[in-house]
Amino acid sequence: KAKDFGKNSHRFFSPQSYESEFGRLLLENDLRRAVNRQDFSLHYQPQVDLQGGRVVGVEALARWEHQTLGNISPDQFIPLAEDIGVMAPLGEWVLRTACEHHLACSSSGCQPVRYAVNLSPTQLHSGNLVPWIFSVLEETGLDPNFLELEITEGALLKNSKATVAAFNTLHAEGVRIAIDDFGTGYSSLAYLSQFPISKLKIDKTFTSAVTTDEKSAAISRAIISLAHSLDMRVMAEGVETREQLDYLRDLECDEIQGYLVSCPLPANETMQFLARHSLSEFPL
Ligand code: C2E
Ligand code: MG
Ligand code: MG
Ligand code: MG
């Protein structure tokens, strides 16, 4: 009997699948606990306006340092947080922390800049998007004009009537909407005319190849011209080299974000960065 059991368990739990299933379960538990304890930090990546040469914003990016595994990429833990139903409290912590950082920076004398916060699909479709955003803005005292929400194309497909209404309300109060990773999601462009969108962010797969691959260059050019003809601003993300910058500047891209300017910085270094660069042109 013991032998049969051993055989069965071997068949159902091969060492690999046992490890990955078990590992995922442990990670889920750790993530739940991290959300309860708000055991995350935010890094902020500067954004530069190519016309005036000024740092005009930062994007807040969530960081999770696991006790034993070290830093886990948000590309891993954000989808996991969605799966296990803890994205709402995590997302609320992110927004609140970013708002508080903005206010701390401004009150320490920095020129106030726009803070971009990523929203995942479940946050968008939670049904109480508008009330929770306004309640965080009210509680922290952040002027809505300093908040930009980054949303991916795919997130705009579902439930679009309610989302259009929500975005119109946010937009009327000054909150801006940017489309993140533009060009990699759904192929219909109809939503661009339905939502009050202020900015398209060219995905870094195009940016990174803009000087080496003609098709990426053509796509970048098309996105820039699409944005401008729709009265939107356009930002290139993931700009790493001067050649990419020069190319994008020639295409009349409005803003850039990427390692060429700065990698995402911890909260205190962000303050120093903004203090240093908020009054003068950024040396590009
Ligand atoms: P994203 O919003 O498209 O953010 C840009 C990502 O590109 C960041 O990765 C950033 O560190 C990276 N990056 C910036 N400049 C460069 C560059 O010059 N070269 C390269 N190769 N990469 C660059 P990160 O921080 O790992 O975040 C990955 C994704 O996780 C984000 O992509 C976003 O979709 C998601 N994410 C991060 N924080 C949050 C959050 O608070 N909420 C939600 N919903 N999603 C988040
Ligand atoms: Mg983003
Ligand atoms: Mg992006
Ligand atoms: Mg991304």
Side-chain angles (χ1 to χ4, degrees):
K1 294 271 154 67
K3 203 176 152 199
D4 289 344
F5 178 78
K7 261 186 196 159
N8 281 337
S9 62
H10 184 77
R11 193 166 59 215
F12 289 119
F13 302 104
S14 75
Q16 285 136 330
S17 79
Y18 177 84
E19 251 178 46
S20 63
E21 284 297 300
F22 189 62
R24 183 185 156 105
L25 215 62
L26 285 182
L27 202 62
E28 283 180 9
N29 276 331
D30 292 344
L31 184 55
R32 270 206 186 84
R33 193 170 28 186
V35 171
N36 284 332
R37 297 179 176 178
Q38 309 192 327
D39 200 7
F40 300 89
S41 61
L42 287 186
H43 282 195
Y44 300 88
Q45 190 174 33
Q47 306 175 324
V48 171
D49 179 342
L50 292 179
Q51 199 136 61
R54 297 292 170 96
V55 176
V56 288
V58 294
E59 176 177 7
L61 294 158
R63 297 291 179 259
W64 179 30
E65 190 183 341
H66 187 275
Q67 279 185 344
T68 52
L69 301 172
N71 287 319
I72 298 183
S73 160
D75 280 325
Q76 264 187 288
F77 72 78
I78 295 288
L80 191 59
E82 295 237 326
D83 278 359
I84 65 173
V86 297
M87 197 55 229
L90 174 53
E92 172 149 354
W93 178 86
V94 168
L95 181 62
R96 186 180 304 275
T97 305
C99 291
E100 286 167 355
H101 191 270
H102 176 107
L103 291 160
C105 264
S106 309
S107 64
S108 81
C110 296
Q111 188 77 10
V113 298
R114 204 172 44 232
Y115 274 48
V117 171
N118 293 283
L119 284 194
S120 59
T122 54
Q123 291 176 276
L124 209 60
H125 303 120
S126 67
N128 66 347
L129 176 72
V130 173
W132 85 256
I133 287 180
F134 285 143
S135 75
V136 173
L137 288 173
E138 255 164 51
E139 282 165 35
T140 56
L142 182 75
D143 177 341
N145 288 293
F146 288 118
L147 179 64
E148 182 165 271
L149 302 172
E150 294 194 3
I151 288 135
T152 53
E153 294 166 85
L156 294 178
L157 291 179
K158 261 195 298 165
N159 193 17
S160 68
K161 249 194 198 151
T163 315
V164 170
F167 282 1
N168 283 332
T169 308
L170 291 165
H171 182 78
E173 296 297 321
V175 177
R176 294 184 216 190
I177 314 289
I179 305 299
D180 206 351
D181 304 343
F182 188 79
T184 61
Y186 189 64
S187 58
S188 164
L189 296 176
Y191 74 90
L192 289 179
S193 61
Q194 289 161 5
F195 293 93
I197 295 162
S198 303
K199 184 189 288 178
L200 302 182
K201 291 185 81 175
I202 306 173
D203 190 71
K204 57 178 176 284
T205 55
F206 304 121
T207 310
S208 64
V210 84
T211 56
T212 52
D213 170 47
E214 274 174 39
K215 288 186 177 156
S216 297
I219 291 169
S220 301
R221 188 179 312 117
I223 295 174
I224 291 166
S225 120
L226 175 68
H228 287 162
S229 44
L230 291 170
D231 250 332
M232 296 171 187
R233 289 178 64 78
V234 59
M235 160 178 295
E237 60 177 20
V239 177
E240 295 183 357
T241 69
R242 166 149 301 281
E243 290 69 34
Q244 290 164 0
L245 166 67
D246 292 340
Y247 199 98
L248 290 158
R249 213 203 289 270
D250 284 348
L251 295 181
E252 293 180 345
C253 186
D254 301 305
E255 295 175 24
I256 61 159
Q257 180 182 341
Y259 299 159
L260 182 68
V261 175
S262 168
C263 63
L265 300 168
N268 55 337
E269 287 177 40
T270 304
M271 271 207 206
Q272 292 161 8
F273 183 98
L274 291 176
R276 234 180 306 128
H277 296 296
S278 63
L279 290 172
S280 53
E281 233 177 83
F282 187 80
L284 270 177

